[in-house]
């Protein structure tokens, strides 16, 4: 796929950064508190070379920040940046779609840590207050 980082569509630009499953799952795990390479590798079952590439890309693109936690031996952890923290609603929107169209069987559930209630996300258009997906859209190209 050609480089989409300059594409006029913000969906395309965003997918250029996090459009693969491994990146999405790394972001999910980072939101769950994982920060270290071995934690991601163990939880995801991902090959080390693939994980290195994805962590590097997510760091280069500003969703994660690499921080040194040990000098001997040199070890880094990966923490969410503001852009990374802002990605959580995207993950939950995808999960809500999956619950509706790919549910069934045993599935992971997500709960609010403070209230203990299950998270049930809804995406709302700020201007109209209407749930996104309930009204027709119009795509307008830049001039």
């Amino acid at each position: 796929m050609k480089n989409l980082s300059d594409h006029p569509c913000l969906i395309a630009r965003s997918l250029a950064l996090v459009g693969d499953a491994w990146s999405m799952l790394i972001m999910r795990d980072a939101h769950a508190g994982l920060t270290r390479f071995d934690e991601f590798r163990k939880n995801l079952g991902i090959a080390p070379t693939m994980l290195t590439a994805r962590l590097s890309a997510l760091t280069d693109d500003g969703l994660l920040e690499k921080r040194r936690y040990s000098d001997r031996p040199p070890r880094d952890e990966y923490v969410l940046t503001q852009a990374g923290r802002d990605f959580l609603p995207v993950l939950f929107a995808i999960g809500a779609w999956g619950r509706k169209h790919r549910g069934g069987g045993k599935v992971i559930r997500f709960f609010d840590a403070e209230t203990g209630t299950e998270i049930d996300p809804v995406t709302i258009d700020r201007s109209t207050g209407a749930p996104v997906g309930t009204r027709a859209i119009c795509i307008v190209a830049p001039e």
Side-chain angles (χ1 to χ4, degrees), residues 67-79:
R67 290 191 191 153
R68 177 74 31 114
Y69 70 87
S70 173
D71 288 324
R72 290 183 180 235
R75 299 272 191 252
D76 297 312
E77 64 182 351
Y78 299 86
V79 295

Side-chain angles (χ1 to χ4, degrees), residues 7-136:
H7 196 283
C9 175
L10 292 174
I11 294 172
R13 283 188 198 180
S14 301
L15 287 172
L17 300 179
V18 290
D20 68 275
W22 288 124
S23 294
M24 294 275 195
L25 293 173
I26 290 167
M27 292 302 295
R28 177 203 63 192
D29 286 358
H31 278 280
L34 277 61
T35 61
R36 298 187 178 174
F37 187 92
D38 288 339
E39 293 173 329
F40 289 115
R41 188 175 52 76
K42 181 180 178 185
N43 198 54
L44 296 172
I46 184 174
T49 54
M50 180 70 73
L51 180 56
T52 297
R54 292 305 187 274
L55 287 171
S56 178
L58 291 167
T59 300
D60 291 346
D61 292 329
L63 283 92
L64 296 174
E65 180 180 33
K66 193 174 178 179
R67 290 191 191 153
R68 177 74 31 114
Y69 70 87
S70 173
D71 288 324
R72 290 183 180 235
R75 299 272 191 252
D76 297 312
E77 64 182 351
Y78 299 86
V79 295
L80 292 163
T81 62
Q82 185 60 54
R85 288 187 295 276
D86 289 345
F87 194 70
L88 185 60
V90 176
L91 293 172
F92 276 103
I94 292 168
W97 178 87
R99 177 188 299 235
K100 183 174 181 180
H101 297 286
R102 295 292 183 261
K106 295 181 180 182
V107 297
I108 291 174
R109 297 165 54 198
F110 297 91
F111 292 85
D112 183 289
E114 290 181 27
T115 65
T117 58
E118 188 165 6
I119 296 171
D120 185 16
V122 178
T123 307
I124 303 291
D125 175 58
R126 187 183 314 270
S127 297
T128 64
V132 173
T134 61
R135 300 164 81 125

